[in-house]
Amino acid sequence: ELKVEQNPLFLSMQEGKNYTIYCNYSTTSDRLYWYRQDPGKSLESLFVLLSNGAVKQEGRLMASLDTKARLSTLHITAAVHDLSATYFCAVDIWGYGGSQGNLIFGKGTKLSVKP
Amino acid sequence: DVKVTQSSRYLVKRTGEKVFLECVQDMDHENMFWYRQDPGLGLRLIYFSYDVKMKEKGDIPEGYSVSREKKERFSLILESASTNQTSMYLCASSTGNQPQHFGDGTRLSIL
C-alpha cells in the first residue's frame, strides 16, 4: 500500500524558534511537493522537489528530498506568526500504477506559531 | 498564473438530489483531479482525468461520477447525494511534473 506519513500532525511553536516537519513515503518516487493551506482556503504550492538531494528555499522555509531514505523535510527557521497554516507533502506515484501527476498526500501538519 | 475556478464556494443540497460541481482551468492542462477534504483524513482522491473523455477512479469513487467533455472542464457528479458526502471538495489541474494547482474549493452541505 502506498503511504505518505507526516509528523508531527500538530505543531505549536514559539516565534523565533526552529523546527522540522518530516514526510516519509513508501514508494521510490523522486517527485515530491509541499503545499500550504490557510484556514478556509485552498492549497498553495510551496516547493517542487524532483531529484535526490534537491533542496529548495523560500524565506524561512527550506525543503529537501532524500529519495534513498524516502524522506523529505520542511525546515522552519526563526518562525513568525504568518507561517501558521497547515502544510502538506505529496508524492507523485507515476510509474506505480498512477498516471503522471497523480499525487498521494500526507494528512498535513497543522502549525501554530505563537508570540 | 494558472487559474482553476470552481463554480460555487458554498452549496447546500438535500439528500437524494443529483449534484453537479463544476471546475474549469485556463492553462490547457491535460490532468484534472477531484478531491474531498475532511478533518483528520486529509485529501482523498475521488476521480482524475488525464485527457478529454478519459477518467480514472481514485481512492473513494463510490457515489460519484465525473465528466470531461472538454479539456478545460471537469465535472463531479453526486448521483444521489447523501449526508456522508458533506465535505470540502477541491479541484486541481496539472501538466507533466509540475505541481497541481487547486481551485478555491466548494464547501458542500447535504441536509
Side-chain angles (χ1 to χ4, degrees), chain A residues 16-31:
Chain A
K17 298 291 187 183
N18 305 333
Y19 209 82
T20 300
I21 298 170
Y22 297 89
C23 175
N24 291 273
Y25 54 97
S26 61
T27 75
T28 56
S29 175
D30 58 1
R31 300 179 182 184

Side-chain angles (χ1 to χ4, degrees), chain A residues 9-10 31 33-35 37 40-48 50 86 88 92-93 97-108, chain B residues 6 9-10 30-31 33 35 37 40-43 45 48 50 56 59 88 90-91 94-105 107:
Chain A
L9 296 182
F10 298 93
R31 300 179 182 184
Y33 306 83
W34 283 96
Y35 288 86
Q37 185 178 37
K41 301 284 183 68
S42 192
L43 278 75
E44 172 192 353
S45 175
L46 287 176
F47 298 111
V48 178
L50 298 178
T86 299
F88 292 90
D92 191 325
I93 61 169
S99 303
Q100 191 173 34
N102 196 346
L103 304 180
I104 301 291
F105 283 81
K107 284 191 165 49
Chain B
Q6 293 184 231
R9 289 298 307 275
Y10 301 94
E30 65 271 22
N31 303 321
F33 307 84
Y35 296 89
Q37 185 177 24
L41 297 177
L43 273 76
L45 182 64
F48 64 101
Y50 51 86
E56 296 277 349
D59 299 319
M88 169 72 92
L90 294 168
C91 174
S94 74
T95 183
N97 61 11
Q98 296 305 302
Q100 292 181 13
H101 294 268
F102 285 82
D104 287 336
R107 191 167 290 282

Side-chain angles (χ1 to χ4, degrees), chain A residues 39-112:
Chain A
K41 301 284 183 68
S42 192
L43 278 75
E44 172 192 353
S45 175
L46 287 176
F47 298 111
V48 178
L49 303 168
L50 298 178
S51 62
N52 185 40
V55 177
K56 296 280 182 73
Q57 182 161 8
E58 179 76 32
R60 299 172 189 275
L61 300 178
M62 183 173 72
S64 65
L65 178 62
D66 181 344
T67 59
K68 291 186 172 64
R70 301 181 190 179
L71 171 68
S72 180
T73 60
L74 181 66
H75 187 73
I76 303 153
T77 301
V80 294
H81 179 71
D82 283 353
L83 290 179
S84 297
T86 299
Y87 294 85
F88 292 90
C89 64
V91 175
D92 191 325
I93 61 169
W94 182 50
Y96 290 88
S99 303
Q100 191 173 34
N102 196 346
L103 304 180
I104 301 291
F105 283 81
K107 284 191 165 49
T109 297
K110 187 171 183 178
L111 172 65
S112 176

Side-chain angles (χ1 to χ4, degrees), chain B residues 3-108:
Chain B
K3 184 73 174 172
V4 179
T5 303
Q6 293 184 231
S7 53
S8 306
R9 289 298 307 275
Y10 301 94
L11 205 53
V12 180
K13 296 290 182 181
R14 296 210 172 270
T15 303
E17 280 193 71
K18 191 168 186 175
V19 181
F20 293 85
L21 303 183
E22 306 285 346
C23 176
V24 177
Q25 50 97 2
D26 66 357
M27 283 302 290
D28 201 37
H29 285 173
E30 65 271 22
N31 303 321
M32 295 190 76
F33 307 84
W34 274 107
Y35 296 89
R36 63 177 283 177
Q37 185 177 24
D38 301 287
L41 297 177
L43 273 76
R44 293 181 291 168
L45 182 64
I46 304 171
Y47 268 96
F48 64 101
S49 168
Y50 51 86
D51 202 353
V52 177
K53 295 194 187 295
M54 304 298 288
K55 60 184 179 184
E56 296 277 349
K57 292 180 180 178
D59 299 319
I60 51 164
E62 296 78 19
Y64 303 94
S65 63
V66 289
S67 171
R68 193 160 180 207
E69 295 297 318
K70 293 185 178 181
K71 192 173 186 180
E72 67 270 20
R73 186 180 296 270
F74 193 35
S75 303
L76 179 69
I77 303 152
L78 285 66
E79 297 290 346
S80 177
S82 64
T83 54
N84 63 11
Q85 292 177 310
T86 291
S87 186
M88 169 72 92
Y89 289 86
L90 294 168
C91 174
S93 73
S94 74
T95 183
N97 61 11
Q98 296 305 302
Q100 292 181 13
H101 294 268
F102 285 82
D104 287 336
T106 296
R107 191 167 290 282
L108 175 64

